[in-house]
Every structure is written in structure tokens, then in C-alpha cells.
Amino acid sequence: EIVLTQSPATLSLSPGERATLSCRTSQSVSTYLAWYQQRPGQAPRLLIYDASTRATGIPARFSGSGSGTDFTLTITSLEPEDFAVYYCQQRINWPPWTFGQGTKVE
Amino acid sequence: QVQLVQSGAEVKKPGASVKVSCKASGYTFTDHYMHWVRQAPGQGLEWMGYTNPNSGGTYYAHKFQGRVTMTMDTSTTTAYMELSRLTSDDTAIYYCVRDLNVLMKIGDRPLYYFDYWGQGILVTVSS
């Protein structure tokens, strides 16, 4: 099973600042990686898939990069609604499709 | 708009079974695989399995095999997930989740990215 390690666990920032979130995988997943946002009390929302493709309706301030084992989610200028927990998820080859443990942006 | 509306919260005793539903609307039900993902209180996300809406074929994560059954009723556009032999470790929010890929032809596979999520159902297992 591929393990995804997200860092930092918590990121303390202010609105308007830039957020940089990291996800490392225990083996290469090529670019088969997604990012999700989960606001308190809500279901997760797909932000990015295939490492860098924004999902439908996702603002341009969200961007993803990386390949192999190292990935980054960048939020260029934090809006109040961006304070949430972010998860990465891999989908290479066989299941289970695993998630990271999350980064909380507060 | 796409909506996945799940049934209400459940409280079960250890050893019991639970069956939860997920009513889909706003898209062609047979165009997307349906997955189930759960989240224990204060914890991360765990993928459980999926169903092919056209064949009814399923694939379950190893840890749930023998204990979970996922189905899709195309006549009512409703997906179901039944989990048996419940323990306290099964206390979690259970989400039905639509696969991103649009199935264009026979043999198309899911992408295993999840673009729409139900609101979640809290299943509590307690004696």
C-alpha cells in the first residue's frame, strides 16, 4: 500500500498570504495524484487531479505541481473560505487508493 | 446540478449490519462509477470500494472484503452500501462519491478521482 505523507500538519497563515502544502508518496505515483479541500462539517471537494489539472469550477489561485514522489499544492492568495483541511490522494495501479493524513490551513 | 443525497444517521450495536443509501440526480447515473469513502471521527479518508453502474461489478478494498456489499439500482438512480459485523472501529462518516470519468464506451475504466460527494452519513456503532 502506498503511503502519503503530508506536511506540515498545520499551516498558520493570514488571508492574502501564500500557502504551500506538500505531499510525499512512499513510491512513485507518476502524476496520478489529486488534492481535495474539506471545510468544517462538509464533504471533501476535488481541487486538482493528475497533479496539476484544476477540477471544474476551481479558482485559478489553486495550483498543483510535482511528479514521482513529491507534490505541492499552492494557494497564491488565501481567501477566508480557503481555511480548511487539504488531503492528497493517489490513484496509480492497484487499489486501495490512499489519502494523506491532511494539512490544516488555519 | 449533480447531487448525491444520502440517507440519515444510523446507530447500530456491535455485530449488526448497516445499509446506507445514496440518491443521485443531475447526471446520467450509468455514466459514472460510484465509490464509497469513509472518515472516522477526527481522522483522514479511507477508500472502501466501487461499483460499475452498467455491469454491477464491484471491487472492494482488501480490509472490507467479505463484510461489505455495494450495489447500484439504475431504476431509482440509488447506490447502496451495506457493511456487516460492525465494530466500534466502523464508527465513521460514510460518503458516496462519484468517479470523475465519464464512461463513453464499454470497457471504459474509472479514473479513481472523486468529483462529487454526498453529504455523508454518520454511522455510530455502540453497545
Side-chain angles (χ1 to χ4, degrees):
Chain A
E1 178 175 309
I2 298 176
V3 177
L4 283 67
T5 302
Q6 292 186 241
S7 62
T10 303
L11 196 54
S12 297
L13 295 168
S14 299
E17 290 192 301
R18 181 186 188 92
T20 303
L21 288 67
S22 173
C23 177
R24 286 190 171 178
T25 60
S26 59
Q27 58 186 273
S28 175
V29 298
S30 183
T31 56
Y32 296 127
L33 189 111
W35 291 92
Y36 298 84
Q37 175 195 67
Q38 187 174 32
R39 295 169 177 153
Q42 295 186 18
R45 175 173 73 142
L46 177 65
L47 299 175
I48 302 284
Y49 63 95
D50 285 346
S52 61
T53 302
R54 270 191 303 276
T56 302
I58 301 303
R61 64 180 181 274
F62 292 92
S63 65
S65 63
S67 65
T69 60
D70 289 321
F71 299 87
T72 301
L73 174 69
T74 302
I75 311 170
T76 52
S77 178
L78 283 164
E79 297 288 338
E81 62 268 26
D82 298 338
F83 291 89
V85 179
Y86 293 83
Y87 295 96
C88 55
Q89 174 238 332
Q90 64 81 20
R91 55 134 282 190
I92 195 168
N93 292 338
W94 301 106
W97 319 117
T98 47
F99 294 84
Q101 81 281 13
T103 290
K104 182 178 183 180
V105 178
E106 64 174 27
Chain B
Q1 72 282 23
V2 175
Q3 285 193 307
L4 301 175
V5 179
Q6 299 185 239
S7 47
E10 301 266 9
V11 179
K12 296 291 182 180
K13 293 193 181 302
S17 298
V18 68
K19 187 172 184 177
V20 298
S21 67
C22 170
K23 170 69 175 176
S25 61
Y27 72 100
T28 302
F29 190 64
T30 51
D31 278 355
H32 295 263
Y33 279 62
M34 190 73 78
H35 304 259
W36 290 85
V37 173
R38 76 177 186 178
Q39 185 172 34
Q43 301 300 309
L45 300 162
E46 182 175 33
W47 177 83
M48 299 179 66
Y50 68 68
T51 305
N52 179 327
N54 295 295
S55 68
T58 55
Y59 193 98
Y60 306 135
H62 180 75
K63 70 176 290 184
F64 299 106
Q65 289 177 8
R67 206 161 68 89
V68 71
T69 303
M70 297 175 187
T71 56
M72 294 176 74
D73 184 339
T74 58
S75 67
T76 60
T77 67
T78 302
Y80 298 92
M81 189 281 296
E82 183 171 20
L83 190 62
S84 62
R85 303 195 301 277
L86 293 168
T87 71
S88 57
D89 290 342
D90 294 315
T91 294
I93 297 172
Y94 289 78
Y95 296 101
C96 58
V97 184
R98 194 184 82 162
D99 190 270
L100 176 65
N101 195 32
V102 180
L103 305 176
M104 302 296 287
K105 60 185 185 301
I106 294 174
D108 275 355
R109 300 292 298 160
L111 277 179
Y112 309 108
Y113 295 130
F114 314 125
D115 64 347
Y116 284 93
W117 297 59
Q119 83 275 19
I121 299 168
L122 177 60
V123 175
T124 303
V125 183
S126 174
S127 55

